[in-house]
Amino acid sequence: ILNVEQSPQSLHVQEGDSTNFTCSFPSSNFYALHWYRWETAKSPEALFVMTLNGDEKKKGRISATLNTKEGYSYLYIKGSQPEDSATYLCAFIDSNYQLIWGAGTKLIIKP
Amino acid sequence: GAVVSQHPSRVICKSGTSVKIECRSLDFQATTMFWYRQFPKQSLMLMATSNEGSKATYEQGVEKDKFLINHASLTLSTLTVTSAHPEDSSFYICSAREEALNTEAFFGQGTRLTVV
């Protein structure tokens, strides 16, 4: 059974602080890992598509790293702002192109 | 990016009736579609995964006779909440994905269901 876990489930961060959270996935049969950002009442948006071990991707203050050998990806947010409050979802895609979702990390930025 | 259209965006129904929610991929073939629900102040919960032309795979704890999923074509999946009760009131959202290299999943706008 393929399992994708995200931790923590929820996170409260003070505005201006940096933070990170984790997506763990099977280390075998890896094809790709996706990160999504989802604000309540809006459609989730794709942040990153990561495919190679050691990948680092960046979009503004948000960045992500990938370790396929040990089966984890970190999402970092630098200098958190209230608009960063959202649920961050990761999705693991295996070599059969099967997509498995994590349950998400809910991030709340406190002003 | 690709567009997924979900309809209706809001629906209010009486207890005991059934409600159908549609999820359409407008400009790509959605080999796989996912259905989620979100309870207030909780995370998104995956309900089921459906592949075109085959039966949906339901997550543990989700009643398949209660939440009927049909994915009869590559552009349409439907979720029918049967004999709805107030506890089924929730936000339901679908996502669709084309089974090709590195394609992301695209999400519908969601449906707010209120059962009275």
Side-chain angles (χ1 to χ4, degrees), chain B residues 15-75:
Chain B
S15 188
T17 61
S18 295
V19 173
K20 181 184 282 188
I21 302 169
E22 292 188 349
C23 182
R24 292 181 184 273
S25 58
L26 298 186
D27 51 4
F28 68 101
Q29 294 186 324
T31 322
T32 308
M33 286 191 170
F34 307 90
W35 286 95
Y36 305 82
R37 69 183 295 185
Q38 187 209 17
F39 294 100
K41 300 182 181 180
Q42 294 189 29
S43 294
L44 207 58
M45 183 192 83
L46 179 65
M47 297 174 66
T49 302
S50 73
N51 292 296
E52 182 264 338
S54 59
K55 289 183 179 180
T57 301
Y58 289 80
E59 296 298 302
Q60 193 172 8
V62 178
E63 299 174 61
K64 56 184 176 184
D65 294 331
K66 171 79 172 172
F67 300 98
L68 300 178
I69 291 172
N70 185 283
H71 189 171
S73 78
L74 284 170
T75 59

Side-chain angles (χ1 to χ4, degrees), chain A residues 6-11 21-22 86-88 103-107, chain B residues 41-43:
Chain A
Q6 288 188 248
S7 62
Q9 186 176 7
S10 65
L11 189 57
F21 32 90
T22 310
T87 295
Y88 293 83
T105 292
K106 185 172 184 178
L107 177 64
Chain B
K41 300 182 181 180
Q42 294 189 29
S43 294

Side-chain angles (χ1 to χ4, degrees), chain A residues 31-32 36 43 46 97 99 101, chain B residues 36 97 99 101-105 108:
Chain A
Y31 187 80
Y36 295 83
S43 289
Y97 310 130
L99 189 155
W101 294 94
Chain B
Y36 305 82
R97 179 171 175 263
E99 208 73 4
L101 300 183
N102 266 339
T103 55
E104 63 192 78

